[in-house]
Amino acid sequence: MELSDDVVRDAAAGDVPATRQVYEALSPRVRGYLRSRGVEDPEGCTSEVFLTLFRRLPTLSGGAAGLRTLAFSVAHARVVDEARRRSRRPHVLAYEPEHDDRTSESAEQRAVASVEAERAVRLMQHLGEDQRAVVSLRVVGDLTLEETAQVLGKTVPSVKQLQRRGLERLRELMVAPEVPS
């Protein structure tokens, strides 16, 4: 809907239907401008713009073009105000514990992990020398297959095989009720 100078003049004189026409013609565009500029509440801000605009209508000059210029000047001022307000206060996010990776283990979890790690180290004594070396270098030393093969002077396929068999044996020992001596 395009505004005419006559409608703007009538709205400035306090004519309610003309004021409604001004709002209906400009509010979608103003709201779109505010939304495109990232205003958090574009509908609420649009209302603020029109409250200011309607108070200033009686002193308006320039007809429909002047009204559009004034409407977007007020809207732009609200965008700047909001940006300043946001820069002065931090953006608040709801705390979501499931997304917080800053958690640390409880004392109980550390104790259980420590006991399990000690048990795994003890159980590694039941592996063959090559299996123990491969598992230690891969798991504890965090070496790649190639690095482990180079350290041990073995081929990558043999390191893979030793690791698979060693970890398999450790799993069996970890679930066994009693570990053979």
Side-chain angles (χ1 to χ4, degrees), residues 3 12 29 38-39 53 65 67-68 75 83-84 89 101-102 104-105 107 134-135 138-139 152 162-163 166 171 173 179:
L3 285 176
R29 293 177 184 161
V39 171
L53 187 66
L67 178 64
R68 278 191 300 278
R84 286 182 184 145
R89 65 172 160 61
D101 59 354
R102 298 173 301 155
S104 62
E105 295 179 317
V134 167
V135 170
R138 294 281 291 136
V139 175
L152 297 176
L162 287 166
Q163 177 181 318
R171 266 188 230 104
L173 294 169
V179 178

Side-chain angles (χ1 to χ4, degrees), residues 34-51:
L34 295 169
R35 186 173 288 124
S36 73
R37 295 300 308 270
V39 171
E40 288 178 359
D41 180 14
E43 288 79 16
C45 195
T46 300
S47 296
E48 291 176 24
V49 168
F50 278 90
L51 287 173

Side-chain angles (χ1 to χ4, degrees), residues 139-140 151 174:
V139 175
V140 179
V151 167
M174 291 292 280

Side-chain angles (χ1 to χ4, degrees), residues 1-4 7-8 17-31 46 50 53-54 64 67-68 71-72:
M1 166 192 284
E2 238 358 86
L3 285 176
S4 68
V7 170
V8 173
T19 304
R20 178 178 293 123
Q21 281 184 321
V22 166
Y23 181 80
E24 289 173 352
L26 291 178
S27 67
R29 293 177 184 161
V30 169
R31 188 173 30 258
T46 300
F50 278 90
L53 187 66
F54 290 149
L67 178 64
R68 278 191 300 278
F72 284 95

Side-chain angles (χ1 to χ4, degrees), residues 67-136:
L67 178 64
R68 278 191 300 278
T69 301
L70 177 60
F72 284 95
S73 295
V74 173
H76 181 73
R78 294 299 179 270
V79 168
V80 171
D81 291 346
E82 182 169 319
R84 286 182 184 145
R85 206 173 23 257
R86 275 194 241 159
S87 72
R88 286 191 297 262
R89 65 172 160 61
H91 185 69
V92 179
L93 295 175
Y95 177 70
E96 297 173 6
E98 64 275 5
H99 295 117
D100 189 355
D101 59 354
R102 298 173 301 155
T103 59
S104 62
E105 295 179 317
S106 68
E108 179 184 9
Q109 289 169 323
R110 280 194 299 265
V112 168
S114 176
V115 167
E116 288 299 312
E118 288 175 22
R119 182 168 180 240
V121 169
R122 276 196 320 274
L123 292 176
M124 283 180 62
Q125 301 310 312
H126 296 282
L127 300 179
E129 181 60 38
D130 286 343
Q131 289 176 347
R132 188 170 45 245
V134 167
V135 170
S136 295

